[in-house]
Amino acid sequence: MDHGIGALVRHTNRYKWAMRHLRPEWNVLDVACGSGYGGFILLNTCKAVSGMDKDHVAIAYALTKANKHDALNRLRYVCGDMRHDLTMRFGISEFDAVVSIETIEHITESDQNLFIDQVRMVLKPGGIFFVTTPLKADIKRTLFHEHEFDDDEFKDFLLKRFEKVDFDDPEANGIPKQFMLARCSWA
């Protein structure tokens, strides 16, 4: 995979994919939000976005940017670890949607289970979990990936936790075909 502007465009397209499914009255959580640019994309459709990332520098930048654009009333950012801090940083059933863009592959299998349990707790009944991840390759795409999924494994993983899992066509969303885009909910 190449990096640079092309990678940024593909990553931005993942946020745009999630954005197209949001509703104006929704409160959304962006897990592993980094510097917060995804929150600005999501705000094009929803009421408010909360972001969480374990990187203090990224969160400080996101807060500075939100303040500069006078968006702190609709954007909030906190530091935390997605494996166990979601319910400590946010309320139970607080969000209409949770967005996780290219994140889940960066943690171990056991931590993936902890993360999904956290997501389920912060989602409101009827809420939607938007998750993207690369398809497992013959070799890991990066040393930073702990556990990648093949398509059947990812479907099974999600269906153990959600009643309904829909997969969208990545290429129709400006994303290479070797990525999976899933919308998960309780039917």
Side-chain angles (χ1 to χ4, degrees), residues 20-92:
R20 286 190 284 277
H21 296 282
L22 303 178
R23 295 187 183 152
E25 69 275 10
W26 281 6
N27 289 309
V28 177
L29 173 61
D30 182 10
V31 178
C33 66
S35 64
Y37 76 88
F40 282 93
I41 295 169
L42 298 171
L43 276 182
N44 284 303
T45 308
C46 66
K47 180 171 94 176
V49 175
S50 296
M52 188 177 82
D53 199 283
K54 67 180 182 177
D55 186 325
H56 294 276
V57 174
I59 291 298
Y61 178 83
L63 286 166
T64 299
K65 185 176 170 186
N67 186 46
K68 178 181 175 184
H69 292 283
D70 198 27
L72 287 175
N73 60 331
R74 294 183 62 207
L75 287 169
R76 106 180 129 146
Y77 294 104
V78 298
C79 270
D81 188 309
M82 67 186 196
R83 297 168 293 186
H84 44 74
D85 288 345
L86 293 181
T87 54
M88 288 177 20
R89 302 286 186 199
F90 305 106
I92 303 297

Side-chain angles (χ1 to χ4, degrees), residues 1 9-18 20 101-102 132-133 168-181:
M1 281 275 131
V9 168
R10 289 189 302 275
H11 204 261
T12 301
N13 286 346
R14 290 171 182 89
Y15 275 105
K16 289 178 181 177
W17 159 75
R20 286 190 284 277
I101 305 293
E102 306 307 314
T132 71
T133 191
D168 292 325
D169 178 1
E171 291 180 301
N173 289 280
I175 300 162
K177 65 182 177 183
Q178 61 266 38
F179 290 88
M180 295 179 282
L181 315 174

Side-chain angles (χ1 to χ4, degrees), residues 94-111:
E94 183 171 339
F95 297 101
D96 301 288
V98 174
V99 176
S100 174
I101 305 293
E102 306 307 314
T103 304
I104 198 164
E105 67 276 5
H106 290 272
I107 55 178
T108 65
E109 282 185 75
S110 60
D111 286 343

Side-chain angles (χ1 to χ4, degrees), residues 135-186:
L135 278 165
K136 186 178 197 174
D138 292 334
I139 58 170
K140 282 187 182 176
R141 296 179 189 283
T142 173
L143 296 174
F144 300 107
H145 288 185
E146 293 288 333
H147 180 254
E148 295 176 341
F149 297 90
D150 65 32
D151 55 355
D152 289 333
E153 181 186 14
F154 196 50
K155 288 174 190 174
D156 291 344
F157 173 78
L158 294 172
L159 284 169
K160 286 179 185 171
R161 291 149 181 90
F162 295 95
E163 291 176 13
K164 185 176 180 189
V165 177
D166 293 310
F167 285 88
D168 292 325
D169 178 1
E171 291 180 301
N173 289 280
I175 300 162
K177 65 182 177 183
Q178 61 266 38
F179 290 88
M180 295 179 282
L181 315 174
R183 292 177 283 124
C184 311
S185 63
W186 297 282

